[in-house]
DNA sequence: CTGAAAGCGCTTACAG
DNA sequence: CTGAAAGCGCTTACAG
């Protein structure tokens, strides 16, 4: 019932407490037979080193704080899973915080008290006040799937890893143009989210290059119900309907698909094409078979780890990594008119 | 850059370190003006009490270990979200572990080192060896959505909270019988999962009471791809096809829906009815509009907290709580024959 | 109300 | 290789 400590083990094995500590410290020097005696005693007593005490003295908790908000978007559970596992393999652990508000400040003061070795913030941004608090405290922060505001010097104030969202947006724009669409609409996520802004910028790049205006635009705030409302508004006038809708993420694209079919009686892709972003598991379900841009989660997780470890190792400059993303053509983009567009072949079949 | 401690604050405020500590300990006695001076100094230096050091001395980390495995089933992200938030409000934090294997033992020794105040294990079970380790260490464990094996004395060895799964299963069985189904099939989850076993038992209760045999049975292991395979096998023989399929959870029910429609060309509910369990967000999507049994997550989370806190407070006996669940009738159950069944009215419309 | 002191369970130079 | 000792940053009786 009461906790067994290194002292108890030392007593049983008839050695000093230091020896016990060394036995459980990789790379410390202990004579083989001493170690064996200690391990036996430890096993007998059910001894497990106290990680809290270790953290206090080593000043490294081996805990990473992870701040999350929108778990309903299936992209994030996948991120949690991969990130947790990667970190576990490195001997780190994840303290999870859910921040319902976009502003993660209050949650952060909490995290800081736990002496985490690093923080990753997914789909949230932090005030520059907190960012500099972390910097002062020497705690590396990396933004996941969101990019920091430019700092005063034009340098990035906080590290971040994202996809090449602008590229992804451009790829979708080009696909839509190539397949003959002329009334292309954009369904934005949150206006202040860099993902949404960058993907939109990419789309606009493509449109501009072709001298084509954006046909319509609405904001869905990365939310299912709001996306539905936005779609209803955009498609209100039957005479002036978009022939393609590019949604800032799959979560909203699926909401759009549902709304288009069920409430507006439109057929996809016959009446309107739909493209998303993320490639969440549901995008591959036959009911949706959604054409989308895949974010490479594994590479993003890898980059996050590297950034974190570099900065824990003293690398002080913040860096921004962006990972290539790939177009996954499934069934929600059609070919319009007698346009010289090619059919959506080359589909990367994802079962 | 270097960490500021209570000593630094004490020096600046010209008081003892003890006074600083008291200022940050709710309920400790400090003179108002002393407290004010200390708070000012703390603010100036950006002092934040070190939770690690506090944990070491108080022997309470205010950390709860949460073990998870299947995040692809959307039920669990919702659980994480609610549980985290509830615990955060109580001043606790969540250390998240992903255990890919059903056997969470290795992950547990890790958790134990972090001196967590309690552990909740979702959809995983732990070996009785580890369970007694936790008991010896005085760390309460509660199983979430899974029930422990009976102990030697017929008492439950580990606390748990579940839905009234057997009731839920029976409700579905009764609904299916009432609507005239005569060839009812069961799609099991994992054979060793109590959820699957209990829901099946409930279904069988209903069938037996009506003198009706179970028409078919297959195992989907709570997995999308495996559920698809199981459905294909069950519906192989067109002459002997089930007229209703009850799936152990929504995740597999959706897989079944997709397979039935896309690969077998069957229409739901005209050709076959489908019922799930959980009421995940996707079940309400128009493409599925799945009739299912809703697990009351909020009540389950509440029960989990209570169990945890009671046991941290010294309540030694393990308890099992089961929460009522409710049938949510949507569109995937039809009425068969000239049977005296009533139409699936009384739909709890969930938008 | 306040301070000096002991102690939580470890790690890590420092001697031997 | 091994042990005695200092110290990580707090909390909490114990005196005053």
């Amino acid at each position: 019932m009461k906790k067994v400590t290194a002292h108890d083990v030392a007593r049983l094995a008839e050695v000093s407490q230091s020896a016990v500590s060394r036995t459980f410290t990789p790379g410390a020097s202990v004579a083989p037979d001493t170690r064996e005696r200690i391990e036996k005693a430890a096993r007998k007593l059910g001894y497990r080193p106290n990680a809290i005490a270790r953290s206090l003295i080593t000043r490294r908790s081996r805990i990473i704080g992870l701040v999350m908000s929108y778990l309903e978007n299936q992209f994030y559970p996948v991120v949690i899973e991969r990130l947790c596992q990667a970190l576990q393999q490195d001997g780190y652990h994840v303290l999870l915080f859910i921040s319902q508000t976009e502003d993660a400040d209050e949650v952060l003061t909490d995290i800081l008290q736990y002496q985490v070795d690093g923080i990753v913030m997914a789909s949230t941004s932090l005030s520059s006040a907190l960012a500099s608090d972390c910097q002062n405290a020497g705690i590396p922060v990396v933004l996941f799937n969101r990019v920091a505001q430019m700092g005063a010097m034009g340098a990035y104030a906080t590290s971040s890893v994202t996809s090449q969202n602008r590229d992804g947006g451009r790829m979708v724009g080009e696909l839509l143009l190539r397949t003959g669409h002329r009334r292309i609409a954009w369904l934005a996520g949150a206006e202040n989210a860099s993902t949404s802004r960058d993907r939109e910028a990419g789309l606009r790049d493509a449109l501009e290059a072709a001298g084509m205006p954006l046909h319509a635009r609405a904001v869905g705030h990365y939310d299912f119900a709001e996306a539905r409302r936005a779609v209803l508004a955009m498609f209100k006038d039957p005479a002036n309907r978009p022939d393609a809708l590019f949604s800032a993420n799959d979560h909203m694209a699926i909401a759009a698909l549902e709304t288009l079919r069920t409430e507006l009686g439109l057929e996809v892709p016959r009446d309107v094409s739909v493209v998303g972003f993320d490639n969440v598991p549901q995008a591959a379900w036959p009911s949706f078979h959604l054409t989308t841009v895949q974010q490479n989660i594994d590479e993003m997780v890898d980059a996050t780890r590297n950034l974190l470890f570099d900065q824990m190792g003293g690398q002080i400059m913040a860096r921004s990594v962006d990972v290539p993303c790939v177009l996954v053509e499934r069934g929600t983009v059609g070919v319009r008119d007698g346009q010289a567009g090619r059919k959506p072949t080359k589909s990367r079949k994802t079962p």
Side-chain angles (χ1 to χ4, degrees), chain A residues 42-340:
Chain A
R43 223 172 302 122
K44 187 162 175 185
L45 297 177
Y47 171 68
R48 269 181 264 274
N50 183 328
I52 295 284
R54 172 182 292 158
S55 300
L56 186 58
I57 189 81
T58 59
R59 294 138 157 283
R60 324 185 80 247
S61 62
R62 301 193 79 83
I63 293 178
I64 303 293
L66 175 59
V67 185
M68 281 277 161
S69 56
Y70 306 112
L71 293 195
E72 194 175 339
N73 173 357
Q74 187 67 15
F75 179 67
Y76 289 108
V78 179
V79 169
I80 291 187
E81 197 169 324
R82 305 277 178 86
L83 196 58
C84 257
Q85 287 187 310
L87 256 14
Q88 274 173 228
Q89 273 168 11
D90 295 323
Y92 282 82
H93 298 98
V94 170
L95 202 56
L96 181 67
F97 293 81
I98 304 290
S99 145
Q100 218 53 290
T101 65
E102 266 284 325
D103 151 65
D105 281 22
E106 47 184 314
V107 129
L108 255 194
T109 65
D110 242 36
I111 298 189
L112 257 17
Q113 298 203 353
Y114 274 93
Q115 315 301 115
V116 296
D117 289 343
I119 297 175
V120 1
M121 311 208 8
S123 73
T124 31
S125 42
L126 77 177
S127 69
S128 53
L130 255 297
S132 66
D133 269 25
C134 291
Q135 201 143 44
N136 291 340
I139 300 177
V141 176
V142 4
L143 266 28
F144 188 99
N145 205 31
R146 206 110 321 174
V147 96
Q149 316 285 16
M150 279 290 191
M153 315 296 289
Y156 288 101
T158 309
S159 287
S160 60
V161 1
T162 59
S163 285
Q164 290 168 4
N165 288 309
R166 189 158 186 166
D167 261 23
R170 184 161 355 96
M171 283 159 53
V172 173
E174 284 164 359
L175 168 68
L176 258 16
L177 289 167
R178 193 162 67 225
T179 44
H181 296 82
R182 344 217 89 244
R183 298 191 308 279
I184 299 175
W186 166 247
L187 178 54
E191 291 284 21
N192 63 336
S194 61
T195 40
S196 185
R197 287 197 315 256
D198 292 346
R199 290 164 196 173
E200 178 172 359
L203 172 63
R204 286 179 186 273
D205 288 347
L207 292 179
E208 250 165 55
M212 172 94 64
L214 184 65
H215 181 74
R217 182 184 193 284
V219 181
H221 294 103
Y222 284 140
D223 178 82
F224 203 91
E226 294 220 41
R228 171 184 163 273
R229 243 168 285 149
V231 168
L232 254 18
M234 279 174 143
F235 285 77
K236 191 174 48 208
D237 178 7
N240 198 30
R241 214 176 250 160
D243 63 1
L245 176 66
F246 178 19
S247 162
N249 73 0
D250 286 353
H251 189 62
M252 294 195 303
I254 288 174
L257 237 30
E258 296 283 21
T259 308
L260 258 12
R261 289 173 180 163
T262 315
E263 301 193 59
L264 295 168
L266 296 175
E267 200 174 297
V268 176
R270 194 197 58 192
D271 302 321
V272 51
S273 295
V274 174
V275 182
F277 210 108
D278 283 349
N279 197 21
V280 298
Q282 292 92 340
W285 291 357
S287 290
F288 307 118
H289 210 240
L290 180 68
T291 292
T292 187
V293 179
Q294 169 162 30
Q295 298 215 62
N296 194 329
I297 296 186
D298 286 326
E299 274 187 50
M300 290 172 78
V301 164
D302 252 30
T304 304
R305 279 173 51 214
N306 291 339
L307 239 33
L308 233 31
F309 293 163
D310 285 357
Q311 286 177 80
M312 295 192 300
Q315 170 74 44
I316 199 116
M317 268 297 283
R319 278 188 299 140
S320 282
V321 175
D322 55 358
V323 164
C325 42
V326 5
L327 189 64
V328 178
E329 294 188 48
R330 282 193 276 245
T332 51
V333 172
V335 180
R336 304 286 168 237
D337 308 331
Q339 200 73 14

